[in-house]
Structure formats: C-alpha cells, structure tokens
Amino acid sequence: MDLRHAASLSTTNTARDALALEPATLAHWERTLQRANAALRMDQPVMALAYQQQALVIALRIAQDPPAGREDDCIAALVVSHLNLADLQVEAGALEECTQLLCSVHATLLGLMADGSRGTALQQAAWRHSRETHAALVRHVQAHGAHPDITAVLAAASGVLQGAAH
C-alpha cells in the first residue's frame, strides 16, 4: 500500500494540515510522541489522540523517504505510531478505526517488502516490523472477532511471503 494512501486512512485532515510545513524528522516524531505520552499521563485522551495523529503524519513522511542508514528507525516509527493510535481508538470504542489502522500499516509494510525499487534496507526493515503488525492483527481478532479487512490483509501477507520464498 502506498504510504500516502495509508495517511489518508489513518489521520485527520487537521493533523496533516498542522504539520504540512514542518520538517519531518525522527527527532520531531520523538518529541510529538513524548507529548502524546505526557497527555496520556495527564489523563487528556483527546490531546493524546491529536498528538498521536500528528506523530503518525510525521512517521508517514519520514518512512516515505528515510535517511540512509535510518530505514529501520523510520519503519519502527511508522509501526509504533499506527499501533499507539490503534490502541487509543480501542479505548475510545472505535473498533472500526482501530481495524483500519492495523490493516493499513500491515498492508503498507507488505507493499514495501514487495517493492524492490525502495532498497534492500527498507525492505528488510518492513520485513522485521511486519511481525509486530501481524501479531497486532491476530490479537485484535482474538479480542474483537474476525473482520473481512483483516482476513484480506492476512491473505495478502501470505501471498507476499510465498512470493519471497521463491
């Protein structure tokens, strides 16, 4: 899945607009994630959600064109942002949004794994982190039941893995 498409599934327009002019760096992502965690500690779930959405926008941008040698860090940021936001959606009772976030990040990683033009380091990072997103999808099904989108993305993963074995 294209990272720009993942962004449209995963974030609000407000979060994207607020960050459009700021440089996307891992340091900026980390600061935004720290703000989200601080908001959670202060029992401010709406603020935490907004910061998590901003962190996801930044992660999507840095994963689109990661600095050389930082591919794994950028993919980790992408996964962490999706999983954190998915957790907040579950807490808010928004299971469909959570499902879409989990499917989106897993599909994004599958796309990176299959795209030889993106470079070996990015493919390997996507491969490593896809275990986390796969596990998150399985946990979601165990906790909330089957969902056709999850079934589809797990089937797609099977196809990518079979293609990689050949």
Side-chain angles (χ1 to χ4, degrees):
M1 173 178 281
D2 181 27
L3 293 172
R4 288 177 296 276
H5 179 62
S8 68
L9 290 175
S10 306
T11 62
T12 65
N13 289 334
T14 305
R16 281 193 306 271
D17 293 345
L19 296 168
L21 301 177
E22 291 193 51
T25 64
L26 280 166
H28 185 208
W29 175 80
E30 288 172 353
R31 284 190 305 275
T32 306
L33 188 63
Q34 289 169 351
R35 289 180 183 121
N37 291 334
L40 280 175
R41 284 191 302 275
M42 294 185 301
D43 198 28
Q44 298 290 324
V46 174
M47 184 183 297
L49 181 65
Y51 279 126
Q52 286 291 0
Q53 289 172 327
Q54 290 177 6
L56 179 56
V57 170
I58 296 165
L60 286 160
R61 289 173 56 198
I62 60 178
Q64 186 68 35
D65 188 23
R70 300 298 306 267
E71 294 88 355
D72 194 73
D73 295 331
C74 292
I75 296 302
L78 183 71
V79 170
V80 166
S81 290
H82 274 87
L83 297 182
N84 286 351
L85 193 52
D87 287 345
L88 288 176
Q89 295 292 2
V90 167
E91 289 176 23
L95 291 179
E96 184 62 28
E97 288 81 356
C98 172
T99 299
Q100 294 311 310
L101 283 161
L102 296 175
C103 289
S104 175
V105 68
H106 198 63
T108 298
L109 295 180
L110 295 174
L112 291 172
M113 290 164 51
D115 185 356
S117 71
R118 298 301 305 268
T120 304
L122 199 60
Q123 284 181 298
Q124 290 174 347
W127 178 267
R128 279 189 298 278
H129 292 285
S130 70
R131 292 182 293 233
E132 297 166 60
T133 58
H134 182 271
L137 286 164
V138 171
R139 283 191 304 273
H140 187 76
V141 168
Q142 290 170 340
H144 306 290
H147 189 285
D149 291 346
I150 293 175
T151 302
V153 78
L154 291 175
S158 178
V160 169
L161 295 175
Q162 287 177 354
H166 294 199

